Amino acid sequence: FFSVSCHTSTMVSRRAQYQAIDTQRAWAPVIATAVVSASVGLALGLVARDFSNATSLVAPSVTTTRPVVGQLGLPTVRAATGSAPSRVVQIPRFSSQPQEHKQPVSTTFGAQSQGPNLASLLLIPVAIVGALAGAWSVSRRNNVIDFAPQATYQIECACFAVSGKKVAVLGAAGGIGQPLSLLLKDCDAVSHLALYDLAPITPGVAVDISHCNTPTKCTGHKGAEELDAALTGCDVVVIPAGVARRPGMTRDDLFNTNAGIMQNLAAACVKNCPTAVILIIANPVNSLVPICAEVFKQAGCHDPRKIIGITSLDVTRSNTWVAEIKGTDPRTENVTCIGGHAGTTILPLLSQVPGLSMDDEKLKALYNRIQFGGDEVVAAKDGGGSATLSMAYSGAEFAKKVIRALNGEKIKACCFTENNVTDASFFALPTTLGPNGAEEVHKFGKLSEFEQANFDEMLPTLKAQIQKGIDFVRNPPS
C-alpha cells in the first residue's frame, strides 16, 4: 500500500512541477498530495498487518529432524512438548544424528495481539481529513492565481476531471501561428487542436505538431474549402491570420489587407461556431475586433463577452522590463495595461506598480518602449519579420486562461473588449474571465498626472481606429 501510494503521489508531483511557473506556490498542493498518499498507505498497511497477525494461530513448537547422511527425502516434523512455544531450526551441516535448535517464538503479534492497535486505527481518520484538505488545496489552486495572477501555475493532468475543448487556430502556418499552435498542443485542457491556413504547408505543420507526446488531437486544414471542418464544434477560435508588419509599416497600413481577412473569418465563425470565444491577435487589433463584432451583430448572434482582442503582449513586455529595473522575477510582476494595442493607445499603469521608483525621464522612456515594443523587434529583425515568438507565447498564455475559465475558473487578465467604462466603445481593461467569456470588466483606478495626460491624448485616436473597423462592415469599400 505504501509503495503504490508513494508512486501515485510522485506522478502527480512530477506533473505539477513540470507545469509550475511559480514553484514556491506550486509545491503547496504537491506536498499535500504526497503526505496524504503516504499517510493513507501507511495506515492501510499497518491495519492490514495487524488484522493478518491477529487471525493467525500460535505456532506450535516443532522439531525438524534432518535425514541421515546419504538419505534422500523430506525432513520429518514432530510436535514438541513444553510450556513455552518453541520452533526447531535445522543446523546446516551433515550429521548422523538429528540436530535440534530450539528458539522462542515471539508473541507480540501472535497470542498477545487480539486486533489492530489503537495507533493504526487513529491514522485512518487523520488520513481521511488530510485527503480532504489536500483535495481542497488542489481545487482552490487557481483562486490563488486570482489574487496573484503573476504567480501562475497549472496542474493540467489527466488525473483531474477537465472538460476538453476544441480549439482552432486560423493562420496556423504563419510566424505566430506555428509556435502558438505548438504551445497549445501542450495544453491538456485542449482535446482537439484544428490548424487552418491557406498555405500549402498547413497539413505538414499539423503532422509535425501531432508527433508531440501530449493527448491533444491535432488536425490540419488547408484552403477555404476546409475552413468549415476546422471551425465546426469549436469552443475557442484563435486568429493570428493576416499579413505581418514590415519595416516602415504602421498598424493602419495593415488594415486594408487584414480587414477583409477578418471579415471572412468572422463570417465562417458565425456559420460554424457562433457561441465560441473568438480571440483576435491579428493587427490592427483596435480595428479588427470591432469588425468581428459587427459581423456577429449583423448575423444576430453577437455576445460581447465572447469577442476578445488579445493585448497580453503589452503586459508581458511591461512585466519583463519592470522586473529588470526592480531586480525581480518577471513572473511575479503584474502590470496593468489599458487602452488599445497600437502605439500610444497602449497605456501601462506604471504608477500602480508596487516598488517601482524612477525619475521622470526614465519613466517616460519606459512608457515609450512598452508602447512601441513591436517596432524594436521589427528593427532588430532587419526586415525579416515582426514580433512573432513573444506574441505566440503571450497569446497562448491568454488562450489557456480562457480555456480554464470556460471550465469554471475565474481568472483576471487584461484584454480588449466591448464595454462602457470609457467613451470608447472598445477598451482594454482588467477583466474577469469565466465560463461565459469576458464576464466582468473592471475599472482601472486612479491615474498619475502623466498617465492621465496620455489617456486624454490617446482616447480620440483609439475611438477613430474603432470606428474605422465598424465602418468597414457597415459601409463596405467599393
Side-chain angles (χ1 to χ4, degrees):
F1 284 122
F2 181 78
S3 176
V4 172
S5 299
C6 286
H7 180 66
T8 302
S9 67
T10 299
M11 290 191 299
V12 175
S13 301
R14 186 173 299 167
R15 180 60 178 170
Q17 185 179 12
Y18 288 160
Q19 295 293 337
I21 293 178
D22 181 80
T23 54
Q24 185 176 5
R25 291 185 182 271
W27 276 111
V30 174
I31 293 174
T33 303
V35 171
V36 168
S37 299
S39 299
V40 173
L42 184 59
L44 293 176
L46 289 174
V47 171
R49 180 191 65 180
D50 289 353
F51 271 111
S52 176
N53 288 322
T55 56
S56 65
L57 298 176
V58 177
S61 65
V62 295
T63 302
T64 302
T65 304
R66 179 175 295 279
V68 179
V69 177
Q71 180 183 356
L72 299 176
L74 297 174
T76 60
V77 180
R78 70 174 186 272
T81 59
S83 57
S86 62
R87 181 176 289 119
V88 177
V89 180
Q90 298 180 91
I91 299 174
R93 70 170 182 268
F94 290 110
S95 174
S96 60
Q97 301 295 329
Q99 300 294 331
E100 297 183 354
H101 177 72
K102 294 187 176 182
Q103 190 178 54
V105 177
S106 172
T107 59
T108 303
F109 294 100
Q112 296 177 3
S113 179
Q114 302 301 323
N117 59 50
L118 182 59
S120 299
L121 291 175
L122 287 177
L123 277 176
I124 296 178
V126 171
I128 293 174
V129 172
L132 294 175
W136 179 86
S137 173
V138 173
S139 68
R140 295 290 293 174
R141 68 191 183 278
N142 288 301
N143 285 348
V144 176
I145 298 174
D146 286 346
F147 294 105
Q150 70 279 9
T152 303
Y153 66 88
Q154 302 170 26
I155 303 179
E156 293 171 343
C157 184
C159 298
F160 299 104
V162 176
S163 175
K165 303 299 182 185
K166 181 179 178 181
V167 178
V169 178
L170 308 185
I176 296 174
Q178 289 197 40
L180 171 68
S181 300
L182 177 62
L183 293 169
L184 291 177
K185 177 67 167 68
D186 194 37
C187 177
D188 290 348
V190 178
S191 60
H192 182 183
L193 184 63
L195 307 185
Y196 170 81
D197 209 314
L198 296 175
I201 65 169
T202 306
V205 172
V207 171
D208 193 0
I209 292 177
S210 72
H211 291 180
C212 299
N213 60 326
T214 71
T216 303
K217 174 185 176 182
C218 188
T219 57
H221 307 269
K222 180 185 69 174
E225 64 277 6
E226 297 186 22
L227 179 56
D228 290 348
L231 290 173
T232 299
C234 277
D235 300 288
V236 178
V237 179
V238 189
I239 308 180
V243 298
R245 291 180 66 197
R246 296 179 178 84
M249 292 180 66
T250 66
R251 284 179 171 81
D252 286 337
D253 295 332
L254 299 175
F255 180 84
N256 293 330
T257 300
N258 289 353
I261 295 173
M262 177 55 60
Q263 186 175 25
N264 292 335
L265 295 179
C269 291
V270 167
K271 175 184 175 182
N272 296 286
C273 52
T275 61
V277 178
I278 313 298
L279 305 179
I280 299 170
I281 293 175
N283 282 316
V285 169
N286 296 352
S287 300
L288 299 190
V289 174
I291 287 176
C292 184
E294 283 299 310
V295 172
F296 273 77
K297 288 176 182 177
Q298 290 185 358
C301 56
H302 176 244
D303 185 345
R305 301 171 299 178
K306 294 189 174 183
I307 299 177
I308 302 172
I310 296 182
T311 61
S312 54
L313 180 55
D314 304 325
V315 177
T316 299
R317 287 170 173 157
S318 299
N319 292 343
T320 299
W321 297 327
V322 164
E324 288 178 359
I325 295 169
K326 293 173 60 177
T328 59
D329 184 341
R331 290 169 293 191
T332 65
E333 300 295 340
N334 186 33
V335 180
T336 298
C337 291
I338 65 172
H341 184 60
T344 57
T345 66
I346 302 170
L347 186 56
L349 303 186
L350 300 179
S351 65
Q352 299 180 8
V353 177
L356 181 63
S357 179
M358 304 172 65
D359 60 48
D360 291 345
E361 290 302 316
K362 291 183 179 179
L363 192 63
K364 290 179 181 179
L366 180 57
Y367 272 107
N368 186 267
R369 188 183 185 191
I370 295 170
Q371 291 173 332
F372 298 97
D375 295 344
E376 183 177 315
V377 177
V378 171
K381 289 188 174 182
D382 195 22
S386 58
T388 55
L389 300 177
S390 55
M391 184 66 251
Y393 166 79
S394 57
E397 288 297 300
F398 185 83
K400 290 177 183 179
K401 291 178 181 179
V402 170
I403 294 166
R404 286 161 44 207
L406 292 178
N407 282 325
E409 299 182 32
K410 298 288 186 179
I411 304 173
K412 193 174 180 180
C414 292
C415 56
F416 187 72
T417 61
E418 187 171 3
N419 57 75
N420 57 6
V421 174
T422 68
D423 291 341
S425 54
F426 292 81
F427 202 81
L429 289 163
T431 304
T432 296
L433 305 172
N436 297 306
E439 294 188 342
E440 183 181 1
V441 178
H442 304 278
K443 296 184 178 180
F444 48 80
K446 185 178 180 180
L447 303 180
S448 68
E449 183 178 345
F450 177 78
E451 291 165 349
Q452 186 64 54
N454 276 267
F455 177 88
D456 295 338
E457 182 181 350
M458 69 86 169
L459 195 59
T461 301
L462 177 59
K463 292 168 67 176
Q465 293 172 355
I466 293 169
Q467 191 60 46
K468 186 175 183 179
I470 295 173
D471 290 341
F472 182 85
V473 179
R474 293 182 180 178
N475 306 300
S478 55

